[in-house]
Amino acid sequence: MVAYFYFVLDAVNLFNCSDVDSALLESCFYTAPCQPVDILLRTSGEVRLSDFLLWQSSYSLLTFVKVLWPEFSRWDLYAAVLYYQQNYSKLQVGSYV
């Protein structure tokens, strides 16, 4: 435990707090090489993300459908895409596209 404490102290001295910005954080994510999330679809009707892709989905359309995943059909996907197309212009305001 003490060794880990000293490791953290050494890591803190490597950079200043002013060096940390959104670009640095995004480069540290596992999803760094991926394209930005356009639409995040949550099945089961629960309106929550459960800490899933919080940073990456900040400028995406969140869609919550009441269908459970095993019953999720092609028509549910079409409805979600249609909803995305209808709200595309609203997503462009304030996004990084």
Side-chain angles (χ1 to χ4, degrees), residues 18-88:
S18 61
D19 296 336
V20 179
D21 60 353
S22 61
L24 177 66
L25 289 176
E26 289 176 3
S27 69
C28 295
F29 291 146
Y30 290 120
T31 57
C34 301
Q35 294 292 322
V37 177
D38 291 324
I39 182 171
L40 188 97
L41 188 70
R42 168 83 190 222
T43 59
S44 79
E46 295 187 25
V47 184
R48 60 186 176 93
L49 294 180
S50 304
D51 296 335
F52 180 72
L53 294 175
L54 289 178
W55 184 278
Q56 295 88 339
S57 63
S58 59
Y59 292 107
S60 64
L61 179 70
L62 304 178
T63 305
F64 303 98
V65 294
K66 293 183 179 181
V67 179
L68 296 176
W69 177 247
E71 288 85 28
F72 189 79
S73 69
R74 169 183 318 185
W75 299 108
D76 297 314
L77 179 63
Y78 291 156
V81 171
L82 180 63
Y83 183 67
Y84 174 78
Q85 290 174 338
Q86 291 171 342
N87 292 295
Y88 181 77

Side-chain angles (χ1 to χ4, degrees), residues 11-21 24:
V12 169
N13 292 329
L14 290 177
F15 58 87
N16 296 326
C17 290
S18 61
D19 296 336
V20 179
D21 60 353
L24 177 66

